[in-house]
Amino acid sequence: MFKQASLRVFARPHQLQGLSRSCLRRSYGLSRYLTTSRSIATFPSRLSASATAAAPKTSYPEEPQDLTDQLAVDDLPIISPDGSQVAVGWDTQTWSRFHNIWLRDHCRCPKCFHPVTKQRLFNTFDIPKDLTPLRVDATAVGLEVTWPSKEPHVSQYPWPWLKYNSYDPPLKKETPPLEKILWGSKIQQSPPTVAYEEVMAPDNRGLYKWLTNTYKFGFSFVSGVPATPEATEELALRIGFIRETQYGKFWDFTSNLAKGDTAYTNLALAAHTDNTYFTDPCGLQLFHLLSHTDGTGGESLLVDGFYAASIMKELHPDAYALLSRVPVPAHAAGEPSALYTPYPQTGYPVLRHDPASGELIQVRWNNDDRSVMNHLAPDEVEKWYDAIRLWNQCLTSPDSEYWVQLRPGTAVRTSLPSSPSPPLLPPSFPPLTHPISPVLDNHRVLHGRSSFTGKRRMCGAYIGVDEYRSKLAVLSEQFEPDAIVRATNDIPEVNVNGRNIWNSAL
Ligand SMILES: C[N+](C)(C)CCCC[C@H](N)C(=O)O
Ligand SMILES: O=C(O)CCC(=O)C(=O)O
């Protein structure tokens, strides 16, 4: 990975005490580093920087006498191979241990990891269970391990990557991911918005802002979208390919029951997320009101499901726990040619959490599309109905509801199940001074609609959750690369096919 080449370096003599010349390494293009490797092939219980003893010497060319660069050798992590693991001391308080098999499995040299496709080439199952390194070095770039094989195999692990992926123990990530900002009805004072021209600009900066808004808030408006289905579809395609469903690909619809769903009526629709009848609900939704004539109503409702859940968790922890455990079946059965239910058919809980972090990662709620609750334990039936009643109170609280009247020229990503419930009477809301169009994260933001009269034409589309996340990840690489990428980008040959092989997502 790191090519050998001549390098002029300097270290304070006392720092080289005990470091044989063979410890001084040469690496190409790392002129600002001294590659003083603390090579320990034997495994002393105490840490020491000693020349390789047990392994065959890897001969290094003689070092130039006049070393001209400065390295604080003590800046390197301390390493201590120990049987089946290698311990790395980041500082006197912070240590990580990496299993030899884990290290070997994660070698990213071009022979073990395809630099273009970023796929593993090395056969994990060729790794002997008792694999022990021939030598382990701490170089200025990272941990270097030489494995026994016909041709000794050298693996390199950049320090920032190794520290980020520490699992024993897991270490706090320096750069927290994008934060999520929970909101209630007051968001109407300054809803996240990006101008259509920005989003459509080829430099992708506006598109990135739109998607980071959507990540942070669960939605973002786009202002000034031409009030045509064509422009709206083009806007959706800026994120990724559209997800086709039984409702078609790009929808342009009105209240004529053209499809078997009450979204195709003028009924009010209570706040919910779409596709609870799919095993994999769509990620984003876009809606754009193209016209509404000879009638009133049809306001759109947005509710931050993560905000509502935070209130539930605080005020009704037992109900929150029940909503996090009890699966809810659902169906889409309005089209004769389609009968959708999730797999498994018992469905999924209203609140889904990341099993590793415990973080709430998805709200899945559509009371109108819900099927028969035939798997509740008898003593949980009333508790569950009490829980969804509390949940509904959180969703419909004036503090949670954000009502917005969409106008032609504003794309909104939302989605609605049908709702025969009494028409929602939205509180009065300030007339919008400028047209807006939201994209909504269907895993977080619920939406609904007040009933309406007259002729109302809406268009929009679904985008898959992975297409949304992939586009955001690619734009993040372009505009805000992660710390590991930034710290390793200068290492020769790590950027292949436009992507750093040490990207923390791989
Ligand atoms: C396709 N379009 C968005 C127009 C209608 C979607 C139907 C909504 C369905 N009840 C659900 O909750 O998923
Ligand atoms: O009519 C609306 O306001 C939105 C319709 C909708 O959400 C849907 O079609 O899923």
Side-chain angles (χ1 to χ4, degrees), residues 483-497:
I484 314 300
V485 166
R486 292 199 307 274
T488 57
N489 257 346
D490 290 350
I491 298 173
E493 298 171 15
V494 294
N495 279 295
V496 180
N497 195 28

Side-chain angles (χ1 to χ4, degrees), residues 253 263 274 287 300 414-416 449 456 458:
F253 66 100
D274 260 24
F287 276 115
S300 291
T414 179
S415 59
L416 314 147
R449 170 184 82 196
R456 185 172 175 273
M458 182 71 94

Side-chain angles (χ1 to χ4, degrees), residues 229-384:
E230 295 75 18
T232 309
E233 182 168 7
E234 202 185 346
L235 179 66
L237 290 170
R238 286 285 285 149
I239 298 175
F241 50 82
I242 288 171
R243 177 169 170 182
E244 189 166 11
T245 65
Q246 67 274 31
Y247 306 111
K249 207 166 179 182
F250 186 81
W251 340 292
D252 184 346
F253 66 100
T254 183
S255 51
N256 60 3
L257 262 185
K259 292 287 183 186
D261 189 281
T262 47
Y264 296 76
T265 72
N266 62 359
L267 294 171
L269 302 168
H272 63 290
T273 60
D274 260 24
N275 305 161
T276 47
Y277 40 80
F278 287 157
T279 307
D280 165 31
C282 76
L284 295 181
Q285 291 198 37
L286 173 75
F287 276 115
H288 186 186
L289 179 66
L290 296 178
S291 64
H292 184 183
T293 52
D294 310 326
T296 58
E299 287 83 15
S300 291
L301 167 64
L302 311 185
V303 178
D304 183 353
F306 285 12
Y307 175 69
S310 68
I311 295 167
M312 273 292 282
K313 192 170 188 176
E314 189 63 33
L315 301 181
H316 314 292
D318 294 346
Y320 182 95
L322 211 49
L323 295 185
S324 303
R325 179 167 56 77
V326 172
V328 178
H331 60 265
E335 288 293 301
S337 61
L339 176 47
Y340 282 97
T341 56
Y343 183 73
Q345 198 157 338
T346 46
Y348 295 86
V350 175
L351 303 173
R352 176 179 165 220
H353 297 79
D354 176 341
S357 66
E359 179 200 359
L360 176 65
I361 57 172
Q362 185 176 6
V363 169
R364 205 184 171 117
W365 178 249
N366 180 338
N367 202 42
D368 299 322
D369 291 8
R370 176 166 56 85
S371 309
V372 176
M373 295 296 289
N374 57 17
H375 52 281
L376 282 166
D379 65 351
E380 283 191 334
V381 172
E382 289 173 355
K383 280 188 202 131
W384 189 76

